[in-house]
Amino acid sequence: MSARPGRPRKRVHLAAHFPGVNNTTVWTDPRSGSQIDFASFTHLARTAERGKLDFFFLAEGLRLRELKGRIHDLDVVGRPESLTVLSALAAVTHRLGLAGTINATFNEPYELARRLSTLDHLSGGRAAWNVVTTSDAFTGENFRRGGFLDRADRYERAAEFVRLSRELWDSWRPDAIVGDQAEGRFLRPGAIGQVEHHGRHFSVEGRFTLPRSPQGHPVIIQAGDSAEGREFAAAHADVIFTGHGSLEDGKRFYADVKGRLARYGREPHQLKIMPGVTFALGDTEEEAAENAADIRRRQVGPQTAIAFLEQVWGRDLSAYDPEGPLPDLEPDLSGDLSQGRVPIKDRAAVAAKWRALAAEKGLSIRELVIEVTGRQTFVGTPGTVARLIDEHVQADAADGFILVPHLTPGGLDEFVDRVVPLLQERGAFRADYTGTTLRDHLELA
């Protein structure tokens, strides 16, 4: 698909998600490496930079999630603190953006604004903050604040958090530092403003300790598909990290979120929509399809399949054969065997939908979980995958994608070596970085 008549071809934006030990990552593969060794982070980041990707993305886990009172060893474990890792990566990369997921519920604006600004300075303007929130009391037990915020309050707190952070970052004038050695004058008089913020969630009075960073503000990312998340992104975010399963779903989401921007005085180009996607390559379409099916079966092993089902059924289903049919039991809506995950809404309706799907397609438990838990996936030869990515962007189903490899740390290598050059040949992706900051890469002011 070429550019739409009357408008220039859109450039594809791409980022790399560092995979953790979870159902996306095939950690049992002999090629899989450590989740916490710095060499793993370095390998993926340098591969992403070699491919001229926009940014490297780290997720966050503030508590080890549990299933039936035990740490679920197929879930996220051993994840280091994001900003520490990204600060170290700033020293071994030169242009790649560095995005960290940091919780707005369990942090304070002044401290976090300072840490993010520090990363932005150290990296030469490549920092990004993926804003997430938590109303989960289980996670809150690790913090004095606990889990007292309900869903509406946590988004309200996050919005005030972002506004206050921007007040702090903007409190230094761009020309605040004079640095006149002859006259012995370092700062321009009156160039550092006093911040006085008194809101429902925060009260701050004082002066920020850092000058404006090379890109002015770190890039703000928001992850989520809910109505609250979409509205938050329209008001505050530069990038929205989302997920949808088809071209048509993507176009509907894209139109909905971009359509919300005008009421905040924003233009469509000021928010980039970047779904998380996986990929599977092959020398032929058939080989790629076989590779994709093999990856999904390894991602959703027998234990994982039963664990996903237990989240919906609210019952211990360990006695059931994952290769057999769904249980004939009804879900226990009073039971919740999983701790630390986003709760599944209307579990009875989800169970009914899954039963209908399993009956229609003759799926076992494991086959059903594979069917319902997959991300959007690009499958095919490198040429096919490059074409599909470009078509989605030109059709306004996305502005780009955050790639989620299935292997740590080498899962991005094949994409960079085989798909990126074809995107560049199509004129859809940069041949080299043309700017130095993440805002430059994302075409943001």
Side-chain angles (χ1 to χ4, degrees):
M1 178 180 290
S2 60
R4 288 185 176 181
R7 80 173 191 188
R9 170 185 284 277
K10 290 170 63 180
R11 288 296 180 94
V12 173
H13 295 283
L14 293 173
H17 187 298
F18 184 85
V21 182
N22 53 38
N23 70 294
T24 300
T25 305
V26 183
W27 66 270
T28 54
D29 190 296
R31 296 168 294 174
S32 183
S34 169
Q35 308 296 314
I36 57 175
D37 192 302
F38 186 58
S40 292
F41 295 104
T42 301
H43 181 105
L44 189 70
R46 284 177 166 167
T47 302
E49 187 163 71
R50 178 165 58 84
K52 314 304 178 186
L53 271 61
D54 292 54
F55 60 90
F56 171 95
F57 182 95
L58 279 178
E60 178 184 64
L62 294 179
R63 180 164 181 174
L64 296 181
R65 292 181 266 194
E66 296 180 8
L67 183 70
K68 294 182 288 190
R70 300 188 301 273
I71 294 172
H72 182 34
D73 65 359
L74 299 181
D75 203 353
V76 179
V77 292
R79 178 178 287 161
E81 192 276 324
S82 294
L83 286 183
T84 305
V85 174
L86 296 177
S87 295
L89 288 176
V92 296
T93 56
H94 303 284
R95 291 290 182 266
L96 183 70
L98 302 168
T101 302
I102 305 167
N103 200 296
T105 305
F106 302 122
N107 283 282
E108 294 296 321
Y110 187 92
E111 179 199 7
L112 183 55
R114 190 164 174 261
R115 290 162 60 202
L116 286 163
S117 183
T118 298
L119 175 62
D120 215 28
H121 279 284
L122 291 176
S123 65
R126 296 185 282 137
W129 170 25
N130 179 37
V131 183
V132 296
T133 63
T134 302
S135 60
D136 173 29
F138 174 77
T139 302
E141 289 173 0
N142 279 349
F143 301 88
R144 67 175 177 82
R145 188 169 296 282
F148 76 96
L149 290 176
D150 66 26
R151 188 177 188 87
D153 284 345
R154 65 191 176 106
Y155 273 106
E156 181 184 281
R157 175 186 165 93
E160 187 179 341
F161 199 127
V162 171
R163 288 194 300 270
L164 176 51
S165 297
R166 284 175 167 155
E167 285 183 51
L168 292 163
W169 293 327
D170 283 339
S171 63
W172 284 57
R173 282 172 41 181
D175 61 352
I177 297 177
V178 178
D180 188 330
Q181 294 177 326
E183 293 189 10
R185 185 162 61 94
F186 189 76
L187 290 173
R188 193 175 303 280
I192 304 175
Q194 173 86 8
V195 174
E196 294 188 8
H197 177 98
H198 302 284
R200 178 185 173 196
H201 295 277
F202 307 108
S203 183
V204 172
E205 293 186 13
R207 286 186 168 86
F208 198 50
T209 59
L210 288 167
R212 287 177 68 85
S213 63
Q215 62 176 346
H217 296 169
V219 167
I220 300 295
I221 304 172
Q222 192 274 335
D225 290 343
S226 68
E228 301 101 317
R230 296 181 191 203
E231 204 65 28
F232 181 92
H236 303 289
D238 301 303
V239 176
I240 183 166
F241 175 31
T242 180
H244 42 68
S246 70
L247 176 68
E248 293 306 315
D249 287 344
K251 289 168 71 173
R252 282 190 290 270
F253 181 89
Y254 191 98
D256 176 78
V257 175
K258 297 277 187 170
R260 297 170 187 250
L261 293 170
R263 58 177 166 263
Y264 299 102
R266 304 181 69 195
E267 298 291 332
H269 68 273
Q270 294 178 298
L271 175 64
K272 306 302 181 188
I273 296 177
M274 299 182 67
V277 296
T278 59
F279 58 89
L281 303 176
D283 291 332
T284 65
E285 303 297 338
E286 294 75 19
E287 182 185 25
E290 290 173 5
N291 288 341
D294 177 63
I295 290 167
R296 287 299 289 142
R297 283 193 64 80
R298 290 191 291 157
Q299 287 173 330
V300 184
Q303 288 173 272
T304 301
I306 294 296
F308 267 100
L309 207 66
E310 288 176 333
Q311 290 179 60
V312 176
W313 257 253
R315 296 176 181 275
D316 184 343
L317 302 177
S318 56
Y320 284 81
D321 180 2
E323 307 299 346
L326 267 64
D328 53 10
L329 300 169
E330 291 303 315
D332 179 0
L333 301 181
S334 66
D336 190 0
L337 304 182
S338 181
Q339 295 273 25
R341 291 182 178 273
V342 177
I344 297 173
K345 295 180 180 179
D346 199 352
R347 289 191 284 135
V350 172
K353 181 179 178 181
W354 286 13
R355 280 193 195 281
L357 181 62
E360 176 189 347
K361 296 189 174 184
L363 303 177
S364 68
I365 291 173
R366 187 177 180 192
E367 289 168 338
L368 173 71
V369 174
I370 288 172
E371 178 95 2
V372 300
T373 61
R375 290 179 181 270
Q376 181 179 6
T377 301
F378 291 117
V379 178
T381 65
T384 295
V385 170
R387 174 179 58 79
L388 290 172
I389 288 173
D390 191 19
E391 286 180 352
H392 276 68
V393 171
Q394 303 311 323
D396 287 342
D399 293 308
F401 297 96
I402 297 178
L403 304 167
V404 186
H406 72 280
L407 288 177
T408 305
L412 189 66
D413 296 10
E414 189 178 20
F415 186 95
V416 165
D417 292 338
R418 303 185 69 189
V419 179
V420 166
L422 299 180
L423 285 168
Q424 292 167 334
E425 286 180 15
R426 296 174 69 91
F429 191 66
R430 66 175 67 88
D432 202 353
Y433 294 111
T434 55
T436 59
T437 71
L438 180 52
R439 290 186 177 276
D440 291 335
H441 308 340
L442 291 168
E443 302 170 280
L444 297 169

